[in-house]
Amino acid sequence: MRTRAITGLFFVIVLLSAMFLGQYVFAVFFIVLSICCLDEFYRIIADDAAKPSRPLGLLVGGVLFAAYAALRLDIFTAHYLGLIAPLIASVFITALYKKQEKPFAGIAYTLLGVLYVVLPFASFFTLGIMGGVYDYRLPLGFMLILWSNDTGAYLAGRRLGKHLLFERISPKKTWEGFAGGVLLALVTAMAIAHYFPVIAPWQWITIALIIAIFGTFGDLVESMLKRSQRVKDSGALLPGHGGLLDRFDGLLLAAPIVLAFLHTVLN
């Protein structure tokens, strides 16, 4: 428990520092983080029948995210995005030279990883530059709500949990825990709305509901992935916590939907 607490505190400090140190540190940190999570996904999903092209997939994901971030930060123009097309084509071409039972399954795993992991982190990165100028308040508020949802679900589920939420996928999650997560996420959102008036209070509350619902689904989806591949944790990088993907599974489905919501209401 002590190891878990120390690791968690250290990682939170690093994460907050990346947000507070400006747009370039923010971008680089989350590009690296997305690549590490993508690597964990590839290691989990690989099996005897089909293996993703891990080095190539990491290159595609990293270049795609970096090119998008550079474009949004006005480092270069959109013309350079055309360089990504040959990289994606190479995923299909390299499969010709591999002796796999199901080559297209390997191709699908490679590109699915980019879609499942890199796109959500790129969506989260976009929250920081929605107004055209970097502002840490939206991504920080997102993370605080996400952590509150996880904490509320854990505490309520541990003390009050009786009715299982999705026994086939996660035998420990309960409806009581889900309700506790929603409640604490809403309370946190109302507090954030007071200190971070970058958007309206009702929008923070809506974001809290999106994170609570789709963050839970994201957790269940990652549990489904690990259960199907018979692994307990996505990795061992964080002592006491498992892998990075385990810590950010709630972000994977929630971040793109939060971004879509904000784009809709703010435009």
Side-chain angles (χ1 to χ4, degrees):
M1 191 66 180
R2 183 179 180 182
T3 301
R4 180 182 175 88
I6 293 173
T7 302
L9 178 62
F10 175 77
F11 188 72
V12 167
I13 292 173
V14 172
L15 184 63
L16 294 179
S17 298
M19 293 184 184
F20 293 144
L21 290 175
Q23 58 185 9
Y24 298 114
V25 175
F26 179 70
V28 171
F29 178 81
F30 280 96
I31 290 170
V32 173
L33 182 61
S34 69
I35 293 173
C36 291
C37 289
L38 182 59
D39 183 62
E40 290 184 354
F41 172 80
Y42 286 150
R43 291 179 184 276
I44 294 172
I45 202 69
D47 54 33
D48 293 334
K51 293 181 174 62
S53 298
R54 191 161 63 89
L56 188 55
L58 296 176
L59 179 62
V60 171
V63 170
L64 183 63
F65 194 164
Y68 172 73
L71 177 64
R72 293 302 301 263
L73 296 176
D74 294 325
I75 296 176
F76 60 59
T77 65
H79 295 90
Y80 290 93
L81 292 177
L83 297 175
I84 298 170
L87 283 176
I88 295 177
S90 66
V91 174
F92 293 85
I93 295 171
T94 55
L96 294 170
Y97 298 92
K98 293 183 177 180
K99 295 181 179 180
Q100 292 189 14
E101 181 181 344
K102 297 181 179 180
F104 266 86
I107 295 170
Y109 286 162
T110 303
L111 298 179
L112 174 63
V114 176
L115 177 66
Y116 175 58
V117 178
V118 178
L119 177 62
F121 277 106
S123 299
F124 179 78
F125 162 79
T126 307
L127 295 178
I129 52 173
M130 287 199 65
V133 179
Y134 176 68
D135 189 336
Y136 67 85
R137 290 177 292 180
L138 274 177
L140 177 57
F142 181 103
M143 292 306 304
L144 291 175
I145 293 171
L146 182 63
W147 292 334
S148 297
N149 178 65
D150 291 344
T151 302
Y154 173 77
L155 295 176
R158 187 174 182 180
R159 291 181 175 273
L160 305 173
K162 293 182 180 179
H163 301 88
L164 296 178
L165 178 66
F166 217 115
E167 183 177 8
R168 180 172 60 85
I169 300 298
S170 182
K172 293 183 179 181
K173 288 191 180 299
T174 62
W175 282 104
E176 291 82 3
F178 173 72
V182 172
L183 180 61
L184 190 55
L186 290 174
V187 171
T188 302
M190 289 186 284
I192 291 173
H194 177 72
Y195 291 102
F196 292 171
V198 62
I199 55 176
W202 74 268
Q203 292 168 342
W204 276 119
I205 291 172
T206 304
I207 287 174
L209 290 174
I210 292 173
I211 291 174
I213 294 170
F214 289 95
T216 301
F217 275 121
D219 192 338
L220 289 170
V221 167
E222 202 234 358
S223 295
M224 178 174 65
L225 168 65
K226 292 188 295 185
R227 183 174 289 267
S228 68
Q229 298 299 102
R230 294 179 174 84
V231 298
K232 181 181 179 182
D233 296 319
S234 66
L237 186 61
L238 301 175
H241 289 264
L244 289 169
L245 200 60
D246 293 325
R247 301 281 62 82
F248 288 94
D249 51 8
L251 178 148
L252 299 181
L253 295 187
I257 298 175
V258 167
L259 179 62
F261 164 72
L262 289 176
H263 266 301
T264 301
V265 298
L266 297 181
N267 292 331

